[in-house]
Amino acid sequence: MTEVNTPEKVEFSPETLKKAQEIIARYPEGRQKSALLPVLHLAQNEWNWLSAPVMDYVAGLLSIQPIEVYEVATFYTMFQIEPVGKYVLEVCRTGPCCLRGAENIIDYLENKLGTKVGGTTTDGLFTLKTVECLAACGFAPVLQVRLKKEDGNYIYYENLTPEKIDNLIATEWV
Amino acid sequence: MGIKILTEHIGKEDLKPIDAYMKYGGYTAVKKALTSMSPDAIVEEVKKSGLRGRGGAGFPTGMKWSFLAKPEGKPRYLVCNADESEPGTFKDRYLMMHSPHTLIEGMIVSSFALGANTSYIYVRGEMMFVIRILEKAIAEAYAKGLLGKNILGSGYNLDLYVHPGGGAYICGEETALLESLEGKRGNPRNKPPFPAVSGLYACPTVVNNVESIAATSWIINNGGDEYAKIGIGKSTGTKLISACGNINNPGVYEIELGLSVEEFLYSDQYCGGIANGKKLKALVAGGSSVPILPANLITKTANGESRLMSYESLSDGGFATGTMLGSGGFIVFDEDQCIVRNTWNFTRFYHHESCGQCSPCREGTGWMEKVLHRIEHGHGHMHDIDLLVDVAKKIEGNTICPLGDAAAWPVGSAIRHFRDEFEWHIKNPSEATRKGAVYRKEAVFA
Ligand SMILES: Cc1cc2nc3c(=O)[nH]c(=O)nc-3n(C[C@H](O)[C@H](O)[C@H](O)COP(=O)(O)O)c2cc1C
Ligand code: SF4
Ligand code: FES
């Protein structure tokens, strides 16, 4: 599980650092803390999850206290504060999706991956989670995945069926 | 019926490139506003239009704008609420994905009207693909001189940025959104002071929904009076409705306010009727927070009038027999859906999303979730039903932000209209917990 370990040296790559600095410049002088959520997204894309050293690094970058980063990272559901698999499958479990079979899809994924919601597969490839409404209710069931190679980062997979999931596992999430 | 002002050109071609958008008259409102109108004149047009906030509360947009404080030496901000997290709602996403410039044009016109020189669009972080589309569109607008310094030679400067959220329904509440934009946890603020006086960075701020802001361009191009002619009564203009659940054609539809619910639900142009030939059991008309309606109160009001898609008609009868237009999240339940299970699911949502600042909301949503869970799973008691009503009542109106009310209403209304279904679960636990078992009372289906 190389992906999930905390790197020894926590530092953005030069390209990511440049992006972070562009983001910080969007907010008024002295309000650089506003960049916290976007910069945490960059950090998560770089290291797959937010370990304490990663959060400390972000705090340093924004000249704020580490606690200010911890309290934010633990509040928002998109931030992984424990090691996760390479692909975090986040399936919507909210009412409108359940009207169109979300519960069956969650069961199917648990069986297929051999792990319960909240767990990670033994090969470190997948973590299965449930999330609340993703604003895709008309195209339910739906799950989101962060793909590191994609500029768009988070991708929605909609109108899920067991066949679609089999196919994604075989060809896309590898 | 059938006029479209926000989505008219979607589908004709890809409107994401700015040249395509401009081919259909895009950015004429910016030109008109910045070169021939004063900010106050724009506010006046928006007031005349009768436009009401499309984020859920329906507060008149022009009036909100006129409350903005203008102290010397302090910047003012416009923040667009694109957090879109209310279950059942996916309309803003549709507009931003297919026509990002419609929002950007509205942001420029509205920022000018409010005297803001820096504006933000707060988009829920999950919609990163939408953020990328918006960022690209904003870069195009800068390149055309529609953003940045001295826009179209008018002397007006505006910088526009997109800000991603981190996954939290509560950040759709406007003061939680501002906290989040400042890089903090999304804890709603006590009001007053209202954002109009002390919002982002303690400066005067207007927060508006994507759809409200997008509508302002049309109002500038055509005049507030023309806009007010669309729709019905005090429900002027058009509304994006996101339809989901057990219908044939889920999706986003722009309707003229005043369309009948019956036509919206059954016409092939819209929802196309209940899927798989089933019967209609219930409707949540405006996102998960609004009261649920049983079949017999959906297409007709309690006194037999045709129910319309408008603020007034949907709330006809108050909470006893009506509901709300809310965010336009139209969730349809067929005869095979279990109201108890859905109420438990929604309550779990509110408990999960409560920021935890107020005890009635934090504890109350937790208790309601537990009690509903036990009823759904065959361990309920008869007195649990009144207990739920009691807890819901004690949350309502006793919290810092309206999430408390939003959690209480679905529970109160489900029990009001479907009490016998809750009783059936409690009296028949082994039958009720059988997979796929649903309580049926033929008379309530339509
Ligand atoms: C819990 C909660 C969630 C909300 N979520 C949203 C949302 O996702 N989008 C939105 O525009 N308004 C949302 N609102 C309403 C906002 O607080 C605010 O009223 C709205 O953004 C104002 O814009 P409008 O006047 O243009 O509707 C929410 C309110 C509450 C209490
Ligand atoms: S009502 Fe709920 S969500 Fe709103 S401030 Fe109170 S605890 Fe937080
Ligand atoms: S309920 Fe699943 S996307 Fe809205």
Side-chain angles (χ1 to χ4, degrees):
Chain A
M1 290 219 270
T2 47
E3 286 271 347
V4 302
N5 289 330
T6 304
E8 272 168 30
K9 190 165 155 235
V10 178
E11 209 170 80
F12 277 148
S13 67
E15 308 87 80
T16 313
L17 187 62
K18 196 166 152 260
K19 263 193 225 161
Q21 277 153 354
E22 275 169 25
I23 290 171
I24 294 168
R26 294 172 186 172
Y27 307 96
E29 189 95 32
R31 299 294 184 174
Q32 75 284 354
K33 185 176 172 179
S34 274
L36 183 49
L37 292 181
V39 172
L40 283 176
H41 282 301
L42 288 181
Q44 183 153 288
N45 201 41
E46 193 111 334
W47 292 296
N48 210 41
W49 70 287
L50 302 175
S51 62
V54 166
M55 291 193 271
D56 294 349
Y57 171 72
V58 169
L61 213 57
L62 299 180
S63 314
I64 56 178
Q65 296 302 318
I67 181 72
E68 295 177 83
V69 182
Y70 305 162
E71 64 175 10
V72 161
T74 52
F75 184 85
Y76 295 92
T77 56
M78 290 183 78
F79 298 122
Q80 312 296 345
I81 47 169
E82 279 169 30
V84 286
K86 183 173 173 191
Y87 298 106
V88 184
L89 308 183
E90 296 183 305
V91 194
C92 175
R93 66 172 190 182
T94 315
C97 272
C98 292
L99 296 179
R100 299 178 79 92
E103 287 159 313
N104 292 339
I105 288 293
I106 295 166
D107 288 348
Y108 184 78
L109 275 163
E110 285 189 331
N111 285 326
K112 174 93 186 170
L113 300 176
T115 182
K116 291 274 166 206
V117 168
T120 299
T121 54
T122 45
D123 60 2
L125 201 53
F126 294 107
T127 296
L128 179 61
K129 293 199 165 189
T130 52
V131 290
E132 301 294 353
C133 182
L134 291 170
C137 328
F139 323 107
V142 54
L143 66 76
Q144 70 167 350
V145 182
R146 185 174 47 76
L147 298 183
K148 190 167 176 160
K149 61 180 169 135
E150 291 283 338
D151 185 39
N153 281 346
Y154 289 86
I155 309 291
Y156 284 13
Y157 295 89
E158 300 175 330
N159 296 308
L160 290 172
T161 59
E163 300 73 49
K164 260 196 195 174
I165 286 172
D166 289 350
N167 197 29
L168 286 164
I169 288 177
T171 60
E172 273 203 54
W173 303 327
V174 289
Chain B
M1 293 288 164
I3 184 167
K4 289 182 180 172
I5 68 169
L6 299 174
T7 63
E8 187 184 356
H9 306 297
I10 292 179
K12 291 181 184 165
E13 67 177 291
D14 181 5
L15 296 177
K16 289 194 283 297
I18 195 163
D19 290 327
Y21 179 70
M22 290 177 90
K23 218 162 70 189
Y24 296 99
Y27 287 106
T28 48
V30 169
K31 185 153 186 239
K32 182 171 178 186
L34 270 59
T35 60
S36 74
M37 291 175 80
S38 70
D40 286 346
I42 298 174
V43 175
E44 210 39 54
E45 286 307 317
V46 174
K47 270 192 183 165
K48 273 197 259 173
S49 74
L51 173 67
R52 291 164 71 173
R54 303 295 195 224
F59 191 82
T61 304
M63 201 190 293
K64 183 187 249 185
W65 289 9
S66 66
F67 293 154
L68 186 68
K70 297 185 173 151
E72 278 295 313
K74 262 198 184 180
R76 280 164 249 150
Y77 291 102
L78 171 64
V79 178
C80 173
N81 188 343
D83 190 56
E84 192 156 70
S85 320
E86 168 94 353
T89 317
F90 47 101
K91 65 184 180 77
D92 298 336
R93 167 192 167 185
Y94 173 86
L95 186 65
M96 293 187 287
M97 263 177 86
H98 295 291
S99 190
H101 290 288
T102 303
L103 173 59
I104 295 166
E105 181 170 15
M107 283 300 286
I108 301 170
V109 170
S110 307
S111 299
F112 175 70
L114 298 168
N117 299 110
T118 307
S119 297
Y120 296 97
I121 305 174
Y122 182 106
V123 184
R124 61 179 300 173
E126 293 91 337
M127 297 205 277
M128 209 55 94
F129 51 96
V130 171
I131 292 174
R132 300 292 178 240
I133 292 170
L134 285 172
E135 283 176 339
K136 211 165 155 197
I138 287 173
E140 287 180 313
Y142 270 102
K144 290 256 189 229
L146 293 160
L147 280 170
K149 296 242 172 315
N150 191 18
I151 298 172
L152 303 177
S154 65
Y156 173 64
N157 307 330
L158 175 66
D159 284 313
L160 178 61
Y161 303 106
V162 184
H163 184 97
Y169 167 64
I170 190 57
C171 290
E173 194 280 335
E174 58 185 15
T175 60
L177 184 148
L178 296 174
E179 287 285 297
S180 182
L181 186 46
E182 292 181 3
K184 302 180 213 154
R185 295 166 77 97
N187 288 346
R189 298 175 183 169
N190 259 312
K191 284 149 278 208
F194 289 93
V197 174
S198 179
L200 183 62
Y201 311 131
C203 296
T205 303
V206 165
V207 180
N208 271 133
N209 175 256
V210 171
E211 196 188 339
S212 318
I213 291 172
T216 58
S217 306
W218 195 96
I219 294 169
I220 293 315
N221 279 328
N222 299 278
D225 289 334
E226 278 307 301
Y227 189 89
K229 285 183 195 157
I230 308 167
I232 184 164
K234 285 189 176 156
S235 296
T236 63
T238 64
K239 175 90 188 81
L240 295 176
I241 306 289
S242 58
C244 63
N246 308 120
I247 47 174
N248 283 315
N249 311 328
V252 176
Y253 302 97
E254 181 172 6
I255 60 153
E256 179 170 355
L257 287 165
L259 179 76
S260 78
V261 173
E262 179 155 18
E263 184 172 355
F264 184 68
L265 187 51
Y266 292 105
S267 147
D268 286 336
Q269 205 188 332
Y270 304 109
C271 300
I274 314 303
N276 304 315
K278 291 188 186 170
K279 290 180 195 148
L280 171 67
K281 179 170 184 177
L283 170 73
V284 172
S288 59
S289 304
V290 310
I292 192 168
L293 288 180
N296 60 320
L297 290 172
I298 295 172
T299 58
K300 294 249 186 306
T301 62
N303 48 27
E305 284 165 27
S306 169
R307 177 97 69 188
L308 309 178
M309 302 287 286
S310 72
Y311 293 96
E312 292 73 23
S313 182
L314 281 166
S315 55
D316 185 274
F319 276 11
T321 60
T323 180
M324 289 159 79
L325 178 64
S327 62
F330 195 86
I331 314 167
V332 179
F333 298 72
D334 73 22
E335 57 186 306
D336 289 333
Q337 303 302 337
C338 172
I339 300 299
V340 176
R341 190 168 186 81
N342 185 72
T343 310
W344 163 57
N345 181 299
F346 276 4
T347 305
R348 179 181 65 180
F349 169 83
Y350 289 106
H351 182 217
H352 185 259
E353 300 301 324
S354 165
C355 83
Q357 280 191 108
C358 334
S359 351
C361 170
R362 181 187 63 238
E363 303 300 323
T365 53
W367 278 108
M368 292 196 304
E369 183 196 340
K370 272 194 201 121
V371 173
L372 283 158
H373 184 272
R374 79 172 170 239
I375 298 177
E376 166 64 11
H377 291 85
H379 310 292
H381 310 287
M382 268 311 182
H383 60 252
D384 280 345
I385 301 177
D386 288 329
L387 179 63
L388 284 169
V389 173
D390 187 47
V391 175
K393 271 205 190 115
K394 284 179 174 142
I395 299 174
E396 208 180 326
N398 292 318
T399 56
I400 293 176
C401 92
L403 186 139
D405 302 339
W409 295 340
V411 174
S413 58
I415 294 175
R416 189 154 59 241
H417 299 301
F418 298 93
R419 194 177 184 108
D420 46 350
E421 190 161 341
F422 286 82
E423 289 172 354
W424 177 79
H425 272 72
I426 294 165
K427 284 189 205 146
N428 306 283
S430 55
E431 170 62 7
T433 50
R434 197 170 50 77
K435 199 170 164 53
V438 188
Y439 175 71
R440 285 163 197 286
K441 191 173 78 175
E442 291 302 321
V444 304
F445 299 129

